[in-house]
Amino acid sequence: GEITVILPPVMDREGGGFGTRVSLRGERLLVGAGSFSDGTFTGVGRAWLFERNLGGPDNWGLRRTFLNPVPSSSGFFGDDVELGDDVAAVAGPAGDLTPAISNDRAVYVYEQNSDGLDSWGLVDEVLPNPPVAGFGGNIQIEGRLMLVGDGPGSSVSGGAWLYERFGDQW
């Protein structure tokens, strides 16, 4: 039966899109909202990491909010999310690409304890070669492997990219 309903933090309830993408791994839950609007940008996106028993028994407390590292309207950060054992991957707009292509996509990888205990700091920005608009439409992590698939808006039909983890880099 139903255990609980997980809601976005109070300050994020007006942004919309909470729960359109989810990933559960053990006692952790990663929730994405690619269409989240923050009052400055429409569709900037956001993701939240919850942990069971954080804040009390059977409470799913907020561990970390992931903000779009390249904030812009229609950035759709969090339109796909995936949890590994000690990593969280969030699809979003690509950062500093040269030459820039409209709607370039990346997968941002955050690692537990990267900047201190349970800090979940950004450790990598994974990019396809060449840049693709639909990259990150589907993310799967299994051990040291991450599979990233195309999504809507892709300029390449049916692409899938496989990455292997070496330290904190993919």
Side-chain angles (χ1 to χ4, degrees), residues 5-152:
V5 175
I6 299 168
L7 299 172
V10 172
M11 68 266 192
D12 292 338
R13 294 215 174 130
E14 298 300 317
F18 183 85
T20 54
R21 295 290 188 195
V22 295
S23 178
L24 179 67
R25 171 89 45 144
E27 305 277 308
R28 291 190 180 115
L29 170 66
L30 185 59
V31 179
S35 62
F36 182 87
S37 298
D38 65 4
T40 302
F41 297 108
T42 302
V44 68
R46 192 162 285 178
W48 300 264
L49 178 65
F50 296 88
E51 288 184 14
R52 189 175 187 179
N53 300 321
L54 183 63
D58 285 329
N59 182 60
W60 285 84
L62 178 66
R63 169 63 67 192
R64 172 97 155 51
T65 299
F66 299 106
L67 303 177
N68 188 334
V70 188
S72 63
S73 289
S74 302
F76 305 118
F77 179 78
D79 63 358
D80 198 28
V81 297
E82 176 71 355
L83 279 172
D85 291 332
D86 64 346
V87 296
V90 182
D96 300 325
L97 292 183
T98 305
I101 296 173
S102 177
N103 298 320
D104 289 342
R105 304 291 292 164
V107 172
Y108 294 91
V109 181
Y110 301 84
E111 186 174 298
Q112 182 183 21
N113 303 328
S114 63
D115 296 326
L117 185 62
D118 284 327
S119 63
W120 291 92
L122 179 63
V123 294
D124 204 359
E125 177 185 8
V126 179
L127 302 163
N129 187 11
V132 177
F135 183 75
N138 189 356
I139 308 167
Q140 299 284 319
I141 296 176
E142 186 60 43
R144 295 172 26 128
L145 298 176
M146 178 170 61
L147 181 63
V148 180
D150 267 349

